[in-house]
mmCIF file with all atom_site columns, all heavy atoms in Angstrom:
data_model
loop_
_atom_site.group_PDB
_atom_site.id
_atom_site.type_symbol
_atom_site.label_atom_id
_atom_site.label_alt_id
_atom_site.label_comp_id
_atom_site.label_asym_id
_atom_site.label_entity_id
_atom_site.label_seq_id
_atom_site.pdbx_PDB_ins_code
_atom_site.Cartn_x
_atom_site.Cartn_y
_atom_site.Cartn_z
_atom_site.occupancy
_atom_site.B_iso_or_equiv
_atom_site.pdbx_formal_charge
_atom_site.auth_seq_id
_atom_site.auth_comp_id
_atom_site.auth_asym_id
_atom_site.auth_atom_id
_atom_site.pdbx_PDB_model_num
ATOM 1  N N   . ALA A 1 55 ? 179.240 -99.864  51.632 1.00 0.00 ? 55 ALA A N   1
ATOM 2  C CA  . ALA A 1 55 ? 178.289 -99.136  50.791 1.00 0.00 ? 55 ALA A CA  1
ATOM 3  C C   . ALA A 1 55 ? 177.680 -100.052 49.746 1.00 0.00 ? 55 ALA A C   1
ATOM 4  O O   . ALA A 1 55 ? 176.469 -100.001 49.469 1.00 0.00 ? 55 ALA A O   1
ATOM 5  C CB  . ALA A 1 55 ? 178.993 -97.969  50.107 1.00 0.00 ? 55 ALA A CB  1
ATOM 6  N N   . ASP A 1 56 ? 178.508 -100.937 49.157 1.00 0.00 ? 56 ASP A N   1
ATOM 7  C CA  . ASP A 1 56 ? 177.981 -101.879 48.172 1.00 0.00 ? 56 ASP A CA  1
ATOM 8  C C   . ASP A 1 56 ? 177.034 -102.889 48.834 1.00 0.00 ? 56 ASP A C   1
ATOM 9  O O   . ASP A 1 56 ? 176.004 -103.250 48.244 1.00 0.00 ? 56 ASP A O   1
ATOM 10 C CB  . ASP A 1 56 ? 179.143 -102.625 47.511 1.00 0.00 ? 56 ASP A CB  1
ATOM 11 C CG  . ASP A 1 56 ? 178.663 -103.498 46.349 1.00 0.00 ? 56 ASP A CG  1
ATOM 12 O OD1 . ASP A 1 56 ? 178.221 -102.928 45.345 1.00 0.00 ? 56 ASP A OD1 1
ATOM 13 O OD2 . ASP A 1 56 ? 178.738 -104.739 46.486 1.00 0.00 ? 56 ASP A OD2 1
ATOM 14 N N   . PHE A 1 57 ? 177.366 -103.325 50.057 1.00 0.00 ? 57 PHE A N   1
ATOM 15 C CA  . PHE A 1 57 ? 176.485 -104.246 50.787 1.00 0.00 ? 57 PHE A CA  1
ATOM 16 C C   . PHE A 1 57 ? 175.149 -103.579 51.102 1.00 0.00 ? 57 PHE A C   1
ATOM 17 O O   . PHE A 1 57 ? 174.085 -104.194 50.945 1.00 0.00 ? 57 PHE A O   1
ATOM 18 C CB  . PHE A 1 57 ? 177.159 -104.699 52.081 1.00 0.00 ? 57 PHE A CB  1
ATOM 19 C CG  . PHE A 1 57 ? 176.231 -105.434 53.004 1.00 0.00 ? 57 PHE A CG  1
ATOM 20 C CD1 . PHE A 1 57 ? 175.726 -106.679 52.685 1.00 0.00 ? 57 PHE A CD1 1
ATOM 21 C CD2 . PHE A 1 57 ? 175.852 -104.870 54.228 1.00 0.00 ? 57 PHE A CD2 1
ATOM 22 C CE1 . PHE A 1 57 ? 174.872 -107.362 53.548 1.00 0.00 ? 57 PHE A CE1 1
ATOM 23 C CE2 . PHE A 1 57 ? 174.995 -105.525 55.064 1.00 0.00 ? 57 PHE A CE2 1
ATOM 24 C CZ  . PHE A 1 57 ? 174.503 -106.779 54.734 1.00 0.00 ? 57 PHE A CZ  1
ATOM 25 N N   . TYR A 1 58 ? 175.197 -102.315 51.522 1.00 0.00 ? 58 TYR A N   1
ATOM 26 C CA  . TYR A 1 58 ? 173.966 -101.593 51.820 1.00 0.00 ? 58 TYR A CA  1
ATOM 27 C C   . TYR A 1 58 ? 173.079 -101.465 50.568 1.00 0.00 ? 58 TYR A C   1
ATOM 28 O O   . TYR A 1 58 ? 171.863 -101.690 50.624 1.00 0.00 ? 58 TYR A O   1
ATOM 29 C CB  . TYR A 1 58 ? 174.291 -100.201 52.366 1.00 0.00 ? 58 TYR A CB  1
ATOM 30 C CG  . TYR A 1 58 ? 173.083 -99.315  52.522 1.00 0.00 ? 58 TYR A CG  1
ATOM 31 C CD1 . TYR A 1 58 ? 172.189 -99.476  53.583 1.00 0.00 ? 58 TYR A CD1 1
ATOM 32 C CD2 . TYR A 1 58 ? 172.822 -98.306  51.582 1.00 0.00 ? 58 TYR A CD2 1
ATOM 33 C CE1 . TYR A 1 58 ? 171.075 -98.659  53.700 1.00 0.00 ? 58 TYR A CE1 1
ATOM 34 C CE2 . TYR A 1 58 ? 171.700 -97.496  51.702 1.00 0.00 ? 58 TYR A CE2 1
ATOM 35 C CZ  . TYR A 1 58 ? 170.837 -97.672  52.770 1.00 0.00 ? 58 TYR A CZ  1
ATOM 36 O OH  . TYR A 1 58 ? 169.741 -96.876  52.883 1.00 0.00 ? 58 TYR A OH  1
ATOM 37 N N   . ARG A 1 59 ? 173.701 -101.140 49.440 1.00 0.00 ? 59 ARG A N   1
ATOM 38 C CA  . ARG A 1 59 ? 172.928 -101.015 48.207 1.00 0.00 ? 59 ARG A CA  1
ATOM 39 C C   . ARG A 1 59 ? 172.371 -102.362 47.761 1.00 0.00 ? 59 ARG A C   1
ATOM 40 O O   . ARG A 1 59 ? 171.215 -102.457 47.331 1.00 0.00 ? 59 ARG A O   1
ATOM 41 C CB  . ARG A 1 59 ? 173.838 -100.442 47.101 1.00 0.00 ? 59 ARG A CB  1
ATOM 42 C CG  . ARG A 1 59 ? 173.100 -100.181 45.807 1.00 0.00 ? 59 ARG A CG  1
ATOM 43 C CD  . ARG A 1 59 ? 173.952 -99.448  44.813 1.00 0.00 ? 59 ARG A CD  1
ATOM 44 N NE  . ARG A 1 59 ? 175.147 -100.195 44.471 1.00 0.00 ? 59 ARG A NE  1
ATOM 45 C CZ  . ARG A 1 59 ? 176.018 -99.831  43.523 1.00 0.00 ? 59 ARG A CZ  1
ATOM 46 N NH1 . ARG A 1 59 ? 175.796 -98.721  42.843 1.00 0.00 ? 59 ARG A NH1 1
ATOM 47 N NH2 . ARG A 1 59 ? 177.076 -100.570 43.272 1.00 0.00 ? 59 ARG A NH2 1
ATOM 48 N N   . HIS A 1 60 ? 173.157 -103.405 47.943 1.00 0.00 ? 60 HIS A N   1
ATOM 49 C CA  . HIS A 1 60 ? 172.686 -104.769 47.602 1.00 0.00 ? 60 HIS A CA  1
ATOM 50 C C   . HIS A 1 60 ? 171.495 -105.172 48.459 1.00 0.00 ? 60 HIS A C   1
ATOM 51 O O   . HIS A 1 60 ? 170.493 -105.691 47.959 1.00 0.00 ? 60 HIS A O   1
ATOM 52 C CB  . HIS A 1 60 ? 173.850 -105.753 47.790 1.00 0.00 ? 60 HIS A CB  1
ATOM 53 C CG  . HIS A 1 60 ? 173.450 -107.194 47.638 1.00 0.00 ? 60 HIS A CG  1
ATOM 54 N ND1 . HIS A 1 60 ? 172.992 -107.951 48.690 1.00 0.00 ? 60 HIS A ND1 1
ATOM 55 C CD2 . HIS A 1 60 ? 173.426 -107.993 46.547 1.00 0.00 ? 60 HIS A CD2 1
ATOM 56 C CE1 . HIS A 1 60 ? 172.708 -109.169 48.270 1.00 0.00 ? 60 HIS A CE1 1
ATOM 57 N NE2 . HIS A 1 60 ? 172.964 -109.238 46.985 1.00 0.00 ? 60 HIS A NE2 1
ATOM 58 N N   . GLU A 1 61 ? 171.590 -104.917 49.789 1.00 0.00 ? 61 GLU A N   1
ATOM 59 C CA  . GLU A 1 61 ? 170.494 -105.276 50.689 1.00 0.00 ? 61 GLU A CA  1
ATOM 60 C C   . GLU A 1 61 ? 169.235 -104.460 50.402 1.00 0.00 ? 61 GLU A C   1
ATOM 61 O O   . GLU A 1 61 ? 168.121 -104.972 50.426 1.00 0.00 ? 61 GLU A O   1
ATOM 62 C CB  . GLU A 1 61 ? 170.911 -105.046 52.147 1.00 0.00 ? 61 GLU A CB  1
ATOM 63 C CG  . GLU A 1 61 ? 171.629 -106.218 52.756 1.00 0.00 ? 61 GLU A CG  1
ATOM 64 C CD  . GLU A 1 61 ? 170.754 -107.454 52.813 1.00 0.00 ? 61 GLU A CD  1
ATOM 65 O OE1 . GLU A 1 61 ? 169.769 -107.468 53.576 1.00 0.00 ? 61 GLU A OE1 1
ATOM 66 O OE2 . GLU A 1 61 ? 171.051 -108.419 52.076 1.00 0.00 ? 61 GLU A OE2 1
ATOM 67 N N   . ARG A 1 62 ? 169.433 -103.181 50.100 1.00 0.00 ? 62 ARG A N   1
ATOM 68 C CA  . ARG A 1 62 ? 168.274 -102.330 49.805 1.00 0.00 ? 62 ARG A CA  1
ATOM 69 C C   . ARG A 1 62 ? 167.556 -102.818 48.559 1.00 0.00 ? 62 ARG A C   1
ATOM 70 O O   . ARG A 1 62 ? 166.334 -102.909 48.529 1.00 0.00 ? 62 ARG A O   1
ATOM 71 C CB  . ARG A 1 62 ? 168.744 -100.894 49.613 1.00 0.00 ? 62 ARG A CB  1
ATOM 72 C CG  . ARG A 1 62 ? 167.612 -99.897  49.355 1.00 0.00 ? 62 ARG A CG  1
ATOM 73 C CD  . ARG A 1 62 ? 168.150 -98.472  49.376 1.00 0.00 ? 62 ARG A CD  1
ATOM 74 N NE  . ARG A 1 62 ? 167.102 -97.534  49.058 1.00 0.00 ? 62 ARG A NE  1
ATOM 75 C CZ  . ARG A 1 62 ? 166.764 -97.174  47.816 1.00 0.00 ? 62 ARG A CZ  1
ATOM 76 N NH1 . ARG A 1 62 ? 167.436 -97.669  46.798 1.00 0.00 ? 62 ARG A NH1 1
ATOM 77 N NH2 . ARG A 1 62 ? 165.784 -96.308  47.591 1.00 0.00 ? 62 ARG A NH2 1
ATOM 78 N N   . ARG A 1 63 ? 168.318 -103.171 47.531 1.00 0.00 ? 63 ARG A N   1
ATOM 79 C CA  . ARG A 1 63 ? 167.703 -103.677 46.305 1.00 0.00 ? 63 ARG A CA  1
ATOM 80 C C   . ARG A 1 63 ? 167.041 -105.029 46.525 1.00 0.00 ? 63 ARG A C   1
ATOM 81 O O   . ARG A 1 63 ? 165.964 -105.306 46.000 1.00 0.00 ? 63 ARG A O   1
ATOM 82 C CB  . ARG A 1 63 ? 168.782 -103.785 45.207 1.00 0.00 ? 63 ARG A CB  1
ATOM 83 C CG  . ARG A 1 63 ? 169.275 -102.445 44.731 1.00 0.00 ? 63 ARG A CG  1
ATOM 84 C CD  . ARG A 1 63 ? 170.458 -102.614 43.789 1.00 0.00 ? 63 ARG A CD  1
ATOM 85 N NE  . ARG A 1 63 ? 170.100 -103.422 42.648 1.00 0.00 ? 63 ARG A NE  1
ATOM 86 C CZ  . ARG A 1 63 ? 169.349 -102.991 41.632 1.00 0.00 ? 63 ARG A CZ  1
ATOM 87 N NH1 . ARG A 1 63 ? 168.903 -101.749 41.637 1.00 0.00 ? 63 ARG A NH1 1
ATOM 88 N NH2 . ARG A 1 63 ? 169.066 -103.761 40.625 1.00 0.00 ? 63 ARG A NH2 1
#
Side-chain angles (χ1 to χ4, degrees):
D56 187 67
F57 169 68
Y58 172 76
R59 184 172 60 173
H60 173 272
E61 274 298 293
R62 182 172 177 273
R63 291 173 58 75

